Structures are given as structure tokens and as C-alpha cells.
Amino acid sequence: MTGIADPGAGTSGGTSPVRPPEPALVRPYILTGGRTTSIGVDLAIEALVVRSDRPTSVVRSVEERWILSLCAAPAAIAELAARTGLPLGVTRVLVSDLAAHGEVEVCSTAERGDATLLRRLREGVGDL
Amino acid sequence: MISEHASEAPVTGSRPISAKFVIAGGFGVGKTTFVGSISEIPPLRTEAVMTSASRGVDDLTHVSTKTTTTVAMDFGRITIDASLVLYLFGTPGQDRFGFMWDDLVRGALGAVVLVDTRRLADCYPAVDYFERRRIPFVVAINHFDGAPVYPVEEVRYALNVAGTVPLVECDARRRTSVKTVLIGLLDVLLAGLDDDPPAP
């Protein structure tokens, strides 16, 4: 479930020497500088993430590009973590970084006590 | 009012919103089956690395040891419409609660506690957790071949949940049954709109 396509690439450019595969857990935490919480608000695991439309000229890591490729349509942070195989905490940090740079938007989550939303849910689930 | 769940990026009117229910219960009670029966995608699994620090009992040196555990959560998705998505998260299978759950449960609108009548006590921690945090929940007695079938009121008595908590029988393998449980939870939430807000 590592799925990390190319541990030898990433931010070091395209001509790095071939290295033996790194443990899947170690590289993501190196990538995030050991951070497991977002700077600022901790993003909800169910928060939807959508890629911005503007093209980016910033060099992104393999993992960030992978995340970007997975959220052309809205996808929850947990979905991004599950599909990349990255730990949830790492995914949160990467998404937070991408959001800070305007690469993605992180959408709101439902608030408790929102009557309209609850009615929409009730109707929607009832129609399943 | 800024929601603690709001993103830092501006949210336009065209952006969808997401909601979450938590599906809880003991190990092997059928949480993933429950989710899978109604999810529009096959259940996905995400892993979170949890670190806990503990100090030795006979501790003159105040040495603390950290243990790292990976907990897995299976979850599914129901797209209500283009602007609303509902996620169902199964709680980790480990028998630990408290801080490991807080992150997962934070912001959940409500919960389903699945029960196996052969191992009733397995669900007590979940019931305690949601009661303490005043998160609305329903109890669903999952069907297992060969498991004893008790009258619902006997199970209610054993669980000692309030009379206002719906307690229903359910077959987690069947979509219609799962749908009924979720509708029951939504009805609880709608009925509770005038009640006090959950504890922080």
C-alpha cells in the first residue's frame, strides 16, 4: 500500500541517482518536516478538497502532484489519504500547504444544528 | 460566525459541503459491512499514525515511553447532490478510545452504534463516548446468524441508554436496512434541533 511511484525523484530534480526504496512512512514525514498537524486549523478528515483551475509553475513533490491529480473533482482529505496510501496526518499537512499556496480549495464541513442541511440529508438519504 | 471546521481559503457559493456520520461498535461488529452496503464507492481505508506517551508506574526517573500505533478507518461516501456529500466513517477496530477518536469524531453530525448481542459489552465504550460528548446517536442491533435475538427493550435495559435513543434491529449487509438506520439518525437530529448544543 505504499504506492509511492518514484522515491528517487521529488524535489531534488530529475537527475538524482537511483536510491533503494525508502520506507513509505519515512519519506512522507521527511516531506512534511515531521509535521503532523496543519499550521492553523486542523482540517477535518471529511473536508472536500478541489484543485484550483490555475496552472502551477511551482515544482511540486511527487506526493503533492499525486494529490492534485486526485482532486480535479472534489475529494475528501480522507479519500486523498486512502488513494495515495499516505498517512492521514501527512495528507492533511500536504493539503494544507497546497491550500496555502492557492493550489487547492478546502471546502467547509457541515455544522451541527443546521436545519436546512439536515433536511437535505434526510431527503437525499430517503431517496436512495 | 467562523466554524472551527471552515477552511482558511474562501469558499465560493459553488463549492460543495461535506458532512460526516460515525459508525461505531466493537471489533467485528459489522461497521465496514454497514458502510459498504450503502456507500456509492467500495469502502476505502485510511490510516492514521497515533503516538501515545506513557510513564512507567515505578517512575523515579520520569522516563516516558512513546508507543506508535497505526489505526485504520474504513469509510464510504454518499453524494446527496452536487453540493452536498455525506461520509460514513467506521471507528478504528482497536479497543481504545478517547484521544484516538476525538480527531475522527470532531464535527460529526451523529453516530450509529452497532451492537452484537453475543458481545454486548463491546459497544459500551462507544455509547459512553457519545453520551459524554452529547453527540446524537442511534443503536442498531446487527443481525448475526446464530446470535441470540433479544427483545429490543431488553437490549435497551442492558445498555442503559436513554429512552429517547432509537434502538433498532438491522442487517448491515442489506442496503435497505442500513438506509433505515441512517434515516432514524437523521430523524433524531431533526427532532433535536431545539435542544442544547453538544458539549465542546
Side-chain angles (χ1 to χ4, degrees):
Chain A
M1 207 177 59
T2 68
I4 305 255
D6 184 3
T11 55
S12 58
T15 57
S16 51
V18 174
R19 298 200 291 265
E22 297 175 81
L25 199 60
V26 173
R27 172 172 165 77
Y29 281 105
I30 289 174
L31 195 68
T32 62
R35 289 175 294 148
T36 53
T37 57
S38 316
I39 295 162
V41 173
D42 256 339
L43 302 178
I45 62 178
E46 75 273 20
L48 291 168
V49 182
V50 184
R51 192 173 72 203
S52 305
D53 288 333
R54 18 170 284 200
T56 174
S57 56
V58 176
V59 174
R60 291 271 166 216
S61 68
V62 169
E63 290 82 2
E64 286 174 322
R65 282 188 272 127
W66 198 353
I67 286 173
L68 288 171
S69 76
L70 291 171
C71 61
I77 289 176
E79 284 188 89
L80 298 173
R83 297 194 194 281
T84 57
L86 295 168
L88 194 55
V90 170
T91 305
R92 264 174 163 161
V93 172
L94 294 177
V95 167
S96 179
D97 288 350
L98 288 168
H101 288 98
E103 306 271 5
V104 301
E105 273 187 54
V106 180
C107 304
S108 293
T109 51
E111 296 217 22
R112 291 186 184 144
D114 184 340
T116 308
L117 179 120
L118 288 174
R119 279 190 277 269
R120 283 169 69 196
L121 285 173
R122 173 66 177 80
E123 197 176 314
V125 173
D127 287 345
L128 288 176
Chain B
M1 180 170 81
I2 305 291
S3 162
E4 64 175 324
H5 310 299
S7 69
E8 293 168 337
V11 175
T12 68
S14 63
R15 287 302 180 217
I17 198 171
S18 55
K20 165 175 75 185
F21 287 158
V22 174
I23 314 300
F27 185 79
V29 76
K31 301 184 288 286
T32 305
T33 304
F34 185 97
V35 169
S37 291
I38 203 155
S39 173
E40 67 202 19
I41 55 173
L44 294 171
R45 173 165 294 188
T46 183
E47 297 186 343
V49 177
M50 303 282 176
T51 306
S52 64
S54 58
R55 286 207 205 91
V57 172
D58 304 319
D59 198 356
L60 301 176
T61 59
H62 302 287
V63 171
S64 65
T65 51
K66 281 193 180 140
T67 51
T68 298
T69 314
T70 303
V71 296
M73 293 173 285
D74 292 335
F75 66 97
R77 186 181 78 202
I78 301 171
T79 300
I80 302 293
D81 59 45
S83 60
L84 179 56
V85 184
L86 173 64
Y87 286 92
L88 307 176
F89 279 87
T91 54
Q94 282 84 348
D95 208 10
R96 270 176 263 177
F97 301 87
F99 77 92
M100 282 190 181
W101 278 27
D102 288 350
D103 199 25
L104 159 68
V105 174
R106 180 164 44 94
L109 297 181
V112 174
V113 178
L114 281 173
V115 163
D116 179 348
T117 53
R118 299 167 299 182
R119 294 179 294 165
L120 209 60
D122 284 3
C123 82
Y124 292 173
V127 170
D128 287 345
Y129 183 92
F130 298 124
E131 279 182 343
R132 219 176 309 123
R133 281 160 182 72
R134 298 174 72 183
I135 294 169
F137 66 98
V138 300
V139 176
I141 304 166
N142 198 13
H143 170 92
F144 290 96
D145 294 333
V149 177
Y150 300 113
V152 165
E153 290 316 305
E154 273 192 38
V155 178
R156 177 185 295 283
Y157 181 80
L159 291 179
N160 195 27
V161 291
T164 51
V165 173
L167 213 122
V168 294
E169 286 170 344
C170 138
D171 187 334
R173 302 165 299 185
R174 306 181 78 161
R175 181 181 165 87
T176 50
S177 182
V178 169
K179 174 178 157 177
T180 300
V181 173
L182 294 181
I183 286 173
L185 176 57
L186 282 159
D187 285 342
V188 166
L189 294 172
L190 284 162
L193 280 172
D194 295 325
D195 293 352
D196 295 335

Short mmCIF file of all heavy atoms in Angstrom, two decimals, chain A residues 89-122:
data_model
loop_
_atom_site.label_atom_id
_atom_site.label_comp_id
_atom_site.label_asym_id
_atom_site.label_seq_id
_atom_site.Cartn_x
_atom_site.Cartn_y
_atom_site.Cartn_z
N GLY A 89 -2.41 12.11 8.67
CA GLY A 89 -1.77 13.33 9.16
C GLY A 89 -0.89 13.99 8.11
O GLY A 89 -0.89 15.22 7.95
N VAL A 90 -0.15 13.18 7.39
CA VAL A 90 0.72 13.69 6.32
C VAL A 90 -0.13 14.32 5.22
O VAL A 90 0.18 15.41 4.72
CB VAL A 90 1.59 12.55 5.75
CG1 VAL A 90 2.31 13.00 4.50
CG2 VAL A 90 2.57 12.07 6.80
N THR A 91 -1.21 13.64 4.86
CA THR A 91 -2.08 14.15 3.80
C THR A 91 -2.64 15.51 4.19
O THR A 91 -2.72 16.43 3.37
CB THR A 91 -3.22 13.16 3.53
OG1 THR A 91 -2.67 11.88 3.24
CG2 THR A 91 -4.08 13.62 2.36
N ARG A 92 -3.04 15.62 5.45
CA ARG A 92 -3.57 16.89 5.93
C ARG A 92 -2.56 18.02 5.76
O ARG A 92 -2.91 19.12 5.31
CB ARG A 92 -3.85 16.80 7.42
CG ARG A 92 -5.23 16.47 7.77
CD ARG A 92 -5.24 16.28 9.25
NE ARG A 92 -6.55 16.35 9.77
CZ ARG A 92 -6.89 15.86 10.95
NH1 ARG A 92 -5.96 15.28 11.69
NH2 ARG A 92 -8.11 15.95 11.37
N VAL A 93 -1.32 17.74 6.14
CA VAL A 93 -0.29 18.77 6.05
C VAL A 93 -0.05 19.15 4.60
O VAL A 93 0.05 20.33 4.26
CB VAL A 93 1.01 18.29 6.73
CG1 VAL A 93 2.14 19.27 6.47
CG2 VAL A 93 0.79 18.10 8.22
N LEU A 94 0.02 18.18 3.73
CA LEU A 94 0.26 18.47 2.32
C LEU A 94 -0.89 19.27 1.72
O LEU A 94 -0.68 20.22 0.97
CB LEU A 94 0.46 17.15 1.54
CG LEU A 94 1.72 16.35 1.91
CD1 LEU A 94 1.78 15.04 1.14
CD2 LEU A 94 2.99 17.15 1.66
N VAL A 95 -2.10 18.89 2.06
CA VAL A 95 -3.27 19.62 1.56
C VAL A 95 -3.26 21.06 2.11
O VAL A 95 -3.54 22.02 1.38
CB VAL A 95 -4.58 18.90 1.95
CG1 VAL A 95 -5.79 19.81 1.72
CG2 VAL A 95 -4.75 17.63 1.13
N SER A 96 -2.91 21.17 3.36
CA SER A 96 -2.85 22.50 3.97
C SER A 96 -1.83 23.37 3.27
O SER A 96 -2.07 24.56 2.99
CB SER A 96 -2.50 22.34 5.45
OG SER A 96 -2.40 23.60 6.07
N ASP A 97 -0.68 22.80 2.96
CA ASP A 97 0.35 23.53 2.23
C ASP A 97 -0.15 23.93 0.85
O ASP A 97 0.05 25.06 0.40
CB ASP A 97 1.62 22.68 2.09
CG ASP A 97 2.37 22.53 3.40
OD1 ASP A 97 2.02 23.22 4.38
OD2 ASP A 97 3.31 21.71 3.45
N LEU A 98 -0.77 23.00 0.17
CA LEU A 98 -1.29 23.29 -1.17
C LEU A 98 -2.35 24.39 -1.10
O LEU A 98 -2.41 25.25 -1.98
CB LEU A 98 -1.88 22.01 -1.80
CG LEU A 98 -0.88 20.95 -2.24
CD1 LEU A 98 -1.58 19.63 -2.56
CD2 LEU A 98 -0.07 21.42 -3.45
N ALA A 99 -3.19 24.33 -0.09
CA ALA A 99 -4.23 25.36 0.06
C ALA A 99 -3.60 26.72 0.34
O ALA A 99 -4.04 27.75 -0.19
CB ALA A 99 -5.18 24.97 1.19
N ALA A 100 -2.57 26.72 1.15
CA ALA A 100 -1.90 27.99 1.48
C ALA A 100 -1.31 28.63 0.24
O ALA A 100 -1.18 29.86 0.16
CB ALA A 100 -0.81 27.75 2.52
N HIS A 101 -0.95 27.83 -0.74
CA HIS A 101 -0.38 28.35 -1.98
C HIS A 101 -1.42 28.50 -3.08
O HIS A 101 -1.09 28.75 -4.23
CB HIS A 101 0.75 27.43 -2.46
CG HIS A 101 1.98 27.51 -1.61
ND1 HIS A 101 2.26 26.60 -0.61
CD2 HIS A 101 2.96 28.43 -1.58
CE1 HIS A 101 3.39 26.96 -0.02
NE2 HIS A 101 3.84 28.06 -0.58
N GLY A 102 -2.68 28.31 -2.73
CA GLY A 102 -3.74 28.52 -3.71
C GLY A 102 -3.87 27.42 -4.73
O GLY A 102 -4.56 27.58 -5.74
N GLU A 103 -3.24 26.29 -4.51
CA GLU A 103 -3.32 25.19 -5.48
C GLU A 103 -4.64 24.43 -5.35
O GLU A 103 -5.12 23.85 -6.32
CB GLU A 103 -2.18 24.20 -5.23
CG GLU A 103 -0.81 24.82 -5.23
CD GLU A 103 -0.21 24.86 -6.62
OE1 GLU A 103 -0.90 24.49 -7.59
OE2 GLU A 103 0.95 25.27 -6.74
N VAL A 104 -5.18 24.39 -4.16
CA VAL A 104 -6.47 23.72 -3.92
C VAL A 104 -7.31 24.59 -3.02
O VAL A 104 -6.82 25.49 -2.34
CB VAL A 104 -6.31 22.34 -3.24
CG1 VAL A 104 -5.46 21.39 -4.06
CG2 VAL A 104 -5.74 22.48 -1.82
N GLU A 105 -8.60 24.33 -3.04
CA GLU A 105 -9.52 24.91 -2.07
C GLU A 105 -9.98 23.81 -1.15
O GLU A 105 -10.27 22.69 -1.60
CB GLU A 105 -10.75 25.49 -2.77
CG GLU A 105 -10.59 26.91 -3.24
CD GLU A 105 -11.90 27.46 -3.76
OE1 GLU A 105 -12.91 27.42 -3.03
OE2 GLU A 105 -11.92 27.90 -4.91
N VAL A 106 -10.06 24.12 0.15
CA VAL A 106 -10.61 23.17 1.11
C VAL A 106 -12.00 23.67 1.46
O VAL A 106 -12.16 24.81 1.92
CB VAL A 106 -9.73 23.07 2.37
CG1 VAL A 106 -10.32 22.07 3.35
CG2 VAL A 106 -8.31 22.67 1.99
N CYS A 107 -12.99 22.84 1.26
CA CYS A 107 -14.38 23.26 1.42
C CYS A 107 -14.83 23.12 2.88
O CYS A 107 -14.20 22.44 3.68
CB CYS A 107 -15.28 22.42 0.52
SG CYS A 107 -14.79 22.50 -1.23
N SER A 108 -15.93 23.76 3.17
CA SER A 108 -16.47 23.73 4.52
C SER A 108 -17.12 22.40 4.84
O SER A 108 -17.53 21.65 3.96
CB SER A 108 -17.53 24.82 4.69
OG SER A 108 -16.95 26.08 4.60
N THR A 109 -17.21 22.14 6.13
CA THR A 109 -17.94 20.95 6.58
C THR A 109 -19.22 21.39 7.27
O THR A 109 -19.34 22.54 7.70
CB THR A 109 -17.09 20.11 7.55
OG1 THR A 109 -16.59 20.96 8.58
CG2 THR A 109 -15.92 19.48 6.82
N ALA A 110 -20.15 20.47 7.37
CA ALA A 110 -21.46 20.78 7.90
C ALA A 110 -21.37 21.19 9.37
O ALA A 110 -20.55 20.67 10.13
CB ALA A 110 -22.37 19.57 7.76
N GLU A 111 -22.22 22.09 9.76
CA GLU A 111 -22.30 22.50 11.16
C GLU A 111 -23.47 21.80 11.82
O GLU A 111 -24.51 21.58 11.20
CB GLU A 111 -22.52 24.01 11.25
CG GLU A 111 -21.38 24.80 10.69
CD GLU A 111 -21.12 26.06 11.50
OE1 GLU A 111 -21.52 26.11 12.68
OE2 GLU A 111 -20.54 26.98 10.93
N ARG A 112 -23.28 21.48 13.07
CA ARG A 112 -24.40 20.89 13.80
C ARG A 112 -25.51 21.92 13.95
O ARG A 112 -25.26 23.12 14.05
CB ARG A 112 -23.94 20.43 15.18
CG ARG A 112 -23.01 19.25 15.08
CD ARG A 112 -22.64 18.68 16.43
NE ARG A 112 -21.67 17.62 16.25
CZ ARG A 112 -20.66 17.37 17.08
NH1 ARG A 112 -20.50 18.11 18.15
NH2 ARG A 112 -19.83 16.38 16.84
N GLY A 113 -26.72 21.47 13.94
CA GLY A 113 -27.84 22.38 14.15
C GLY A 113 -28.27 23.12 12.90
O GLY A 113 -29.10 24.02 12.98
N ASP A 114 -27.74 22.75 11.76
CA ASP A 114 -28.12 23.38 10.50
C ASP A 114 -29.37 22.66 9.98
O ASP A 114 -29.28 21.60 9.36
CB ASP A 114 -26.95 23.28 9.51
CG ASP A 114 -27.22 24.00 8.20
OD1 ASP A 114 -28.41 24.26 7.88
OD2 ASP A 114 -26.26 24.28 7.48
N ALA A 115 -30.50 23.29 10.20
CA ALA A 115 -31.77 22.64 9.88
C ALA A 115 -31.92 22.35 8.39
O ALA A 115 -32.37 21.27 7.99
CB ALA A 115 -32.93 23.50 10.38
N THR A 116 -31.57 23.32 7.58
CA THR A 116 -31.71 23.14 6.13
C THR A 116 -30.87 21.97 5.64
O THR A 116 -31.32 21.14 4.85
CB THR A 116 -31.29 24.43 5.39
OG1 THR A 116 -31.98 25.53 5.94
CG2 THR A 116 -31.56 24.32 3.91
N LEU A 117 -29.64 21.92 6.12
CA LEU A 117 -28.75 20.85 5.71
C LEU A 117 -29.28 19.50 6.15
O LEU A 117 -29.24 18.52 5.39
CB LEU A 117 -27.36 21.08 6.31
CG LEU A 117 -26.36 20.00 5.95
CD1 LEU A 117 -25.18 20.58 5.20
CD2 LEU A 117 -25.85 19.29 7.19
N LEU A 118 -29.80 19.43 7.38
CA LEU A 118 -30.32 18.15 7.88
C LEU A 118 -31.51 17.69 7.03
O LEU A 118 -31.66 16.50 6.75
CB LEU A 118 -30.73 18.28 9.34
CG LEU A 118 -29.57 18.39 10.34
CD1 LEU A 118 -30.11 18.66 11.74
CD2 LEU A 118 -28.73 17.12 10.34
N ARG A 119 -32.34 18.65 6.64
CA ARG A 119 -33.49 18.28 5.81
C ARG A 119 -33.04 17.78 4.45
O ARG A 119 -33.61 16.84 3.89
CB ARG A 119 -34.45 19.47 5.68
CG ARG A 119 -35.37 19.62 6.89
CD ARG A 119 -36.46 20.63 6.63
NE ARG A 119 -36.00 21.99 6.87
CZ ARG A 119 -36.10 22.61 8.04
NH1 ARG A 119 -36.63 22.00 9.08
NH2 ARG A 119 -35.68 23.85 8.18
N ARG A 120 -32.00 18.43 3.91
CA ARG A 120 -31.47 17.97 2.63
C ARG A 120 -30.91 16.55 2.75
O ARG A 120 -31.08 15.71 1.87
CB ARG A 120 -30.37 18.91 2.15
CG ARG A 120 -30.88 20.21 1.57
CD ARG A 120 -29.74 21.19 1.38
NE ARG A 120 -28.83 20.77 0.32
CZ ARG A 120 -27.59 21.26 0.15
NH1 ARG A 120 -27.13 22.17 0.98
NH2 ARG A 120 -26.84 20.85 -0.85
N LEU A 121 -30.21 16.30 3.85
CA LEU A 121 -29.67 14.96 4.08
C LEU A 121 -30.80 13.95 4.22
O LEU A 121 -30.75 12.86 3.65
CB LEU A 121 -28.79 14.94 5.34
CG LEU A 121 -27.41 15.59 5.24
CD1 LEU A 121 -26.74 15.63 6.61
CD2 LEU A 121 -26.51 14.82 4.27
N ARG A 122 -31.80 14.32 4.98
CA ARG A 122 -32.92 13.41 5.23
C ARG A 122 -33.61 13.04 3.93
O ARG A 122 -33.91 11.88 3.67
CB ARG A 122 -33.90 14.09 6.19
CG ARG A 122 -35.21 13.36 6.46
CD ARG A 122 -35.00 12.07 7.18
NE ARG A 122 -36.24 11.39 7.50
CZ ARG A 122 -36.95 10.66 6.65
NH1 ARG A 122 -36.56 10.54 5.40
NH2 ARG A 122 -38.07 10.09 7.04
#
